[in-house]
Amino acid sequence: MNGEFIPHTVAALFTLAIFSFLWKDNPLYKAAESLAVGLSAGYFTVILIRTSLMRTLIDPLFEEGQVLVIIPGILGLLMYLRLTRRWTWISRYPLAFYMGIASGAALSPTILAYVVRQIEYTIVPMGFGSWEGITNILIVVMVFCSLFYFFFSVPHKGVFGGVSRIGIWVIMVAFGAQFGFTVMARISLLIGRVQFLLGDWLGLIHLE
Amino acid sequence: MKWEIPLVIVFVTGVILALSDFVPHQSIQDVREFFMSWLQIIGVLAVGLGLVSLTQVNLVKVRRKTPGWIYSVITLFGLVIMLVTGFVWDYREPSNPFQFLFQYALLPIYATMFSLLAFYIASAAFRAFKARNALATTILVTAVIVMLGQVPVGAKLAPLKSWIMEVPNMAGFRAILLGIGLGGVAMALKIVFGIERAYMGRD
Amino acid sequence: MSFLEKIPRLDRRVLYLLVAIAAVVPMFTPLGLPIPTSREVEGLFDYIEELGPGSTVLVAFDFDPQTVGENGPQASGVLRHCFERDVNVLITALSQNAPGMAQEMIETAAAEYDKVNGVDFCYLGYQPYPAIVIMSIGQNFRIPFPQDFYGTPLDSIPLMRAKQNYDDIDLVVSVAAGWVAESWVTYAKERYGCDVALAVTAVQAAQYYTFWNAQQIVGLLPGLKGAAEYQAMMKGAGMSYTDAPLRGMDVQSIEHLLIIAFIVVGNVGFFAERARQRREAAAARAERRGER
């Protein structure tokens, strides 16, 4: 028995408590789940106060004498007026500050990342002479048709109907691929827990 | 006061930050840096709202003895014990009660909760993944090829899987991504120009 | 009711039991099948291989314990690869429950490779609002992180003294389980021009092939498969590696076969049920005609 056996047993009991839900909903599962919510909030609060609040507000203000940090400090505290009825409108001030900065800063990088770059790499050399050229034709057609599927300003009839029909087929292939990847993701998480139970806890398998 | 000033703040800060991407002058970059550091502090304080809300909700449940109130007691217990250990012991030490609770209670519970999804997705594949029509069959066949191509046992299908991921899958998601991007930009502009105000709540 | 028609009514717990057996048995009988590598995973591996000693990679722990089964092996692989090649590492943990996991993983890997805190790596820790932090790093590391996780001011850390922003690092690897990965692409790559690679959960990965195609990322590790490929490449290059993700792929193979079998059997039951309903409907119609 190694020194980690007791902590690992604690972790294993919590693991089994959660797995018990597979049989049916039960108090053990609910208790573990509720405990995790509290622990998570507590953990986050400790880290937030000790690494974020202290380092960005308290220490600069009281130890380094940076008086200006009082302004965002007060703005931050004004957010708590959201919890009152009468003064809730004051919380709009810091919220406006936050939303203005976040929206303004997001504008051009979002256009670049999600629009310009995507269009740039859809305008690619096409041709039937090489596999790459054929693939590029497929990419252009598929992106165009998929986009057209979301374009509702003309009725999807006739040629437009055909284009949008190709679009929905492409999107369905994408969703199928996403489903395949989702299965892989969920199984991976189970593998992690099984490796913990059989390896770290019971020592039945040895992983390097 | 209640609406005008916040809308002015949104507009001014939004325009300054948007301009800072195009104007390399040091003064506007300094303002950007200043705003970023302020935002960090506002953000740190604002996050506490969630904690206050969580505590309030659970305390009310306990006080009113609503069904399942005992689980609220457990949540509050978890919160308090983490706070106490977090402030009594050094959060940076690798082994103390604070780290113990994280490593051997919080981590296994959350990791296992998500691993339950493996069972549910298997059950969903059995019950709901039906070849009802041509489009459903397309999803089904693609999913099967991708699932096989991703694992060593289906290595022969790996090239086909890669082609699916890099051509039709990529094309489909590119169209969706373009939509998300254009929608995001439109929303950001609506916020900066004060057209979108839902985030401010009502009077 | 025939056997085929009973299939859709099979108890869910029978399915769960089969999934559990398929997860446990291959752990004891490794198949050891070779793991073919993909271009997107090779992209990240080769990028780090080409970085010289003294280069700097920022590894972002953007995941919580929920997805540690996928993101843990990815983060561990990238960290070890960097240490193996004497590449300096900066670490952030921008997800609210990530700091503890990041600390444990870094300290374990650093001890293994004799790496010194502040000289070979620097753990910057947590700050809320990832998008804001990512943008702020573009101005200066000191805005979101005046001190590292352990409380040392950045200017007192040898590795950080000359580092101001993205211009001073070679690559960001976001190990993520959410939209934070996109924020790194949007801000670090597109706004500040820093190279980015993503190691994400498989659920997200399918949509990020569009970033890969547009050369917005230098590599993409999709889920545990990505981690396993990475470890296989480390093994192939003669580096030390962890075999947990490699062994995991054996289970993954069996589970995928099982789920495909579920889909097939489920569909057989579905068509049998539909045929029965059609027979009954036809019989009812014939009966009504007879009555008339």
Side-chain angles (χ1 to χ4, degrees), chain C residues 12 18-19 24 31 39 54 60 94 96-97 116 119 132 144 147 159 166 181 185 208 217 238 263 268 276 285:
Chain C
R12 64 189 164 85
L18 292 172
V19 172
V24 171
L31 306 173
R39 289 193 309 126
L94 302 185
Q96 63 178 33
N97 288 153
V116 180
V119 177
I132 303 296
Q147 299 161 19
L159 180 61
Y166 292 117
V185 175
Y208 293 158
I217 50 176
I263 293 173
V268 168
R276 184 179 66 87
R285 274 198 304 274

Side-chain angles (χ1 to χ4, degrees), chain B residues 21 32-33 39 43 91-92 99 102 114 119 127 129-132 147 150-152 166 169 174, chain C residues 8 10 12 16 39 66 97 103 129 132 139 143 149-150 191-192 206 210 213 225 253 256 267 270:
Chain B
D21 284 335
R32 184 187 168 99
E33 190 170 327
L39 205 57
Y91 70 95
R92 295 165 292 195
Q99 293 288 2
F102 178 82
F114 264 54
F119 296 94
R127 290 183 203 288
F129 214 27
K130 303 288 159 60
R132 286 173 206 278
M147 282 163 65
Q150 273 295 86
V151 289
E166 294 192 34
N169 165 71
R174 176 162 287 169
Chain C
L10 196 66
R12 64 189 164 85
Y16 294 168
R39 289 193 309 126
Q66 284 91 327
N97 288 153
Q103 185 186 359
Y129 296 99
I132 303 296
Q139 304 291 123
I143 296 176
F149 181 75
Y150 304 98
R191 173 67 173 83
Y192 293 101
T210 181
N213 176 272
K225 170 72 179 348
S253 288
H256 281 200
N267 273 281
F270 167 71

Side-chain angles (χ1 to χ4, degrees), chain A residues 189, chain C residues 61 63-65 67-80 101 105 175-176 199 201 223-224 227 231 242 245:
Chain A
L189 301 180
Chain C
F61 281 65
F63 62 96
D64 280 328
T67 57
V68 70
E70 283 188 280
N71 294 126
Q74 293 173 333
S76 160
V78 174
L79 268 178
R80 284 181 160 77
M101 290 185 297
M105 247 179 241
V175 188
T201 59
L224 186 68
Q231 293 292 340
T242 48

Side-chain angles (χ1 to χ4, degrees), chain B residues 24-43:
Chain B
H25 197 273
Q26 193 54 42
S27 57
I28 198 163
Q29 294 307 321
D30 289 344
V31 172
R32 184 187 168 99
E33 190 170 327
F34 206 60
F35 277 175
M36 285 294 173
S37 60
W38 277 25
L39 205 57
Q40 201 73 52
I41 298 169
I42 295 173

